Amino acid sequence: MPDRDLPRKAAARTARLAALPLGYAGRSALGLGRRLGGAPAETVLTDIQQRTAEQLFRTLGELKGGAMKFGQALSVLEAALPEEVAGPYREQLTRLQDAAPPMPTQTVRDQIEGALGPGWRDQLVWLDGGPTAAASIGQVHKGTWHDGRDVAVKVQYPGAGDALMGDLRQIARLGRTIAPLVPGVDLKPLIQEMQDRAVDELDYELEAEAQRAFARAFAGDPEIVVPDVVAVGGTVIVTEWLESPASLAQVIRDGTQEERDHYGELFVRFLFAGPSRTGMLHADPHPGNFRVLPAADGSPGRLGILDYGAVARLESDGLPEAMGRLIRVASESDREGLVEGLRAEGFIKDRTKIDPDLLLDYLSPFVEPTQVERFRFSREWMRSQFNRINNPREPSYTVAMKLNLPPSYLLIHRTWLGGIGVLSQLEAEAPFRAILTEFLPGFASA
C-alpha cells in the first residue's frame, strides 16, 4: 500500500526522487547481463523501459506535489516520444493524468475547517467520504451546498507548498540523470517554468478569480462549460459540480473517431477563445482537466474545463497580434518577412544570423496545421516533427540554439506545444485554420 499522507520531509522526498536514476542504472546493468546471457536486445530494452516507467510514474504519482506535476507535464508530450519508448510508458503516463493516492478523511475535514471556519458544516451540508479526483497539489470531493447545489470541493494537501517547491528544486538537480528516461525532451526550461508558476498555483484566491472570469465569459455557451466558484478560502476552493462520465484521458485511451474529432475541435476552440474573451490563457492543457459532457442521446456533446490554477494573464488582454501575424507569414512561406518579424519581436537577437529555410522548417509543427482546411493530428506526425527539431543530426536542430523565447511568450509557447501534444494523442482532425482565423489576433489580417 502506498503512503496515504503527503510525504513532506525533504530528506524522505529527496531520497525517493534520487532513487529514480539509480534504479534506471541498476536495471540497465541487469539488462547488459541478460544480453550477455543471450536475451535479444529489443526484449531487454523494452523490459528496462517498462520497469523504469512503472517506477518513475508510480513514484511521481505517490509523491504528488512538484513530482506529480512534472509527470503530468511529461504525459502531455507522450505523443512526441519515439514509439519504442512511448509504447511501454503509455499506460503509466495516461494513468497519471487522472489519478493519485488520496489523503485521509480527517485531514480533509481539518483543511476545510481551517479554510472555511468552524461552521463549515452549515454551508457544506454533505461531503463524500472519498475523493473523486486528485491533482498535483490537491484532491477533489463531491459535496452538497446548503442551497441544494452539488459542488466540487478542492482541498490542498497539507504542506503542498513546501513539497511542490522542494520537488521542483530536486528534479532540477536531477534533470541530467532523469533525462535518459524521456529522450528528446528538454527538461531544464520545463522545470524552470514550473518553479516560476508554482506560487500562483498554490494561491486558491487567485485561481478563484480566474475561474469566475472564465465562467462569466462562457456562461450560456453551447459548446463549452466552466463551473462557477461557490466559495473560496485559503487552501479550499468550492465550485459548481460538473457531472461528466470521462475526461479527455479516457477519450485518448478508447474514444471513437467521432468523439476524438469532436472533442478535439472543442479543445482547440476553448484554448483560443479564452484569451479573446477573458484576457487570460488556460495554461494547463493536460487531458484530466477537460471533461466530456455527452448529449442526452449519448452522442458527443459539450466540453467542460476544470482547474484554473495555471493561467497566463496576457499583457495585451489577449494573445499577441504579432503571434497571429507571424504564423500567417510563415504559413505563406514569406521567409524574409518571417525573419524580420521574429527579430522585431525579440525571438532573434540583433546580431544573430539564421537560415530562413531552416527557420521555416523548424516552425512547421506550428504552421502545418494552418495550411489546410482540416488538419489530422497524429502520434506519427508529432513524433516525426519532434524528432526532426530535436535530432542533432538534422539541419533544423541548429535553429533552436539561435532562437530566443521572450518571457511574455513562455507560457503561450508551452500551452500551444502541450495543446498540439493532446491533439496528437487524440488523433483528432480539426479546422485549425478556421479557428485561428476567428480567434487569433493578426492571423486573418496579416
Side-chain angles (χ1 to χ4, degrees):
M1 290 287 288
D3 182 5
R4 296 302 185 185
D5 293 314
L6 178 65
R8 281 171 286 170
K9 293 183 179 178
R13 298 179 68 83
T14 297
R16 293 176 71 177
L17 288 169
L20 293 174
L22 294 176
Y24 175 80
R27 277 186 290 277
S28 297
L30 176 63
L32 177 60
R34 288 182 57 199
R35 286 187 64 187
L36 292 174
E42 296 80 9
T43 303
V44 173
L45 182 62
T46 301
D47 183 57
I48 289 172
Q49 289 168 339
Q50 178 67 51
R51 292 166 67 184
T52 299
E54 289 174 358
Q55 183 196 7
L56 172 63
F57 293 105
R58 188 190 311 114
T59 301
L60 294 179
E62 290 176 8
L63 284 175
K64 306 184 180 83
M68 184 177 176
K69 186 167 291 296
F70 174 69
Q72 287 175 336
L74 292 180
S75 72
V76 170
L77 299 175
E78 173 265 330
L81 299 176
E83 180 57 32
E84 63 269 20
V85 175
Y89 282 23
R90 190 165 292 135
E91 183 182 354
Q92 298 294 330
L93 284 162
T94 52
R95 184 183 301 165
L96 187 60
Q97 290 170 343
D98 262 347
M103 61 176 148
T105 302
Q106 189 55 50
T107 304
V108 172
R109 296 179 183 278
D110 291 344
Q111 288 290 92
I112 294 174
E113 182 168 335
L116 302 182
W120 65 273
R121 288 181 177 82
D122 295 333
Q123 297 175 294
L124 186 61
V125 296
W126 177 79
L127 182 69
D128 197 349
T132 58
S136 53
I137 61 172
Q139 67 185 35
V140 179
H141 289 254
K142 186 175 184 180
T144 303
W145 205 240
H146 62 84
D147 58 8
R149 280 183 292 175
D150 288 335
V151 292
V153 185
K154 185 158 75 170
V155 183
Q156 199 170 109
Y157 302 121
D162 292 341
L164 178 61
M165 300 308 295
D167 285 353
L168 292 176
R169 285 192 297 270
Q170 178 65 10
I171 289 170
R173 287 193 291 268
L174 294 172
R176 186 173 297 177
T177 47
I178 291 176
L181 307 182
V182 280
V185 178
D186 188 357
L187 299 182
K188 188 174 180 181
L190 180 67
I191 297 167
Q192 181 59 53
E193 190 204 324
M194 288 180 182
Q195 290 174 319
D196 294 342
R197 297 286 164 181
V199 175
D200 285 354
E201 294 194 43
L202 290 164
D203 188 338
Y204 279 1
E205 297 280 356
L206 203 59
E207 178 175 344
E209 177 188 290
Q211 185 160 343
R212 285 187 175 117
F214 274 89
R216 286 193 301 269
F218 285 92
D221 191 284
E223 298 176 324
I224 303 297
V225 179
V226 179
D228 207 350
V229 176
V230 175
V232 62
T235 57
V236 173
I237 180 171
V238 183
T239 66
E240 294 172 336
W241 180 259
L242 190 67
E243 189 62 49
S244 164
S247 73
L248 283 187
Q250 279 91 3
V251 178
I252 286 170
R253 279 197 291 269
D254 52 28
T256 65
Q257 193 59 57
E258 180 187 16
E259 290 169 333
R260 293 169 184 277
D261 292 347
H262 178 83
Y263 291 117
E265 179 174 339
L266 296 191
F267 172 77
V268 179
R269 286 188 175 278
F270 171 76
L271 288 183
F272 283 99
S276 69
R277 295 188 190 183
T278 67
M280 291 180 281
L281 173 68
H282 185 287
D284 192 6
H286 92 75
N289 290 335
F290 296 83
R291 309 295 304 188
V292 302
L293 304 168
D297 63 0
S299 62
R302 297 180 296 170
L303 186 67
I305 291 86
L306 308 175
D307 201 337
Y308 293 80
V311 168
R313 289 159 176 82
L314 302 166
E315 294 178 1
S316 55
D317 291 329
L319 292 168
E321 182 273 340
M323 178 181 169
R325 176 164 40 84
L326 290 170
I327 291 172
R328 171 67 77 175
V329 166
S331 72
E332 295 171 349
S333 299
D334 179 355
R335 292 159 174 77
E336 298 308 319
L338 178 61
V339 172
E340 183 181 323
L342 288 172
R343 199 179 295 278
E345 285 296 301
F347 286 92
I348 303 174
K349 297 291 188 180
D350 288 343
R351 296 182 181 180
T352 300
K353 292 184 179 181
I354 200 162
D355 185 314
D357 290 314
L358 292 181
L359 179 61
L360 268 178
D361 193 44
Y362 179 80
L363 293 175
S364 63
F366 303 102
V367 176
E368 264 190 43
T370 72
Q371 294 176 315
V372 292
E373 289 300 320
R374 296 183 65 84
F375 186 81
R376 169 71 66 191
F377 295 86
S378 69
R379 284 189 168 94
E380 182 181 3
W381 172 81
M382 181 75 169
R383 280 195 297 270
S384 67
Q385 298 289 339
F386 201 76
N387 180 64
R388 188 172 44 74
I389 64 178
N390 285 281
N391 186 345
R393 289 172 289 188
E394 293 284 343
S396 57
Y397 179 82
T398 60
V399 175
M401 304 298 108
K402 297 180 178 180
L403 286 179
N404 172 62
L405 188 62
S408 60
Y409 282 90
L410 188 64
L411 214 51
I412 295 172
H413 176 75
R414 195 201 82 174
T415 303
W416 188 306
L417 183 62
I420 289 175
V422 171
L423 290 167
S424 298
Q425 288 178 316
L426 282 168
E427 305 263 341
E429 182 179 288
F432 203 75
R433 184 166 70 187
I435 293 171
L436 264 60
T437 299
E438 182 177 359
F439 294 114
L440 182 59
F443 183 76
S445 57

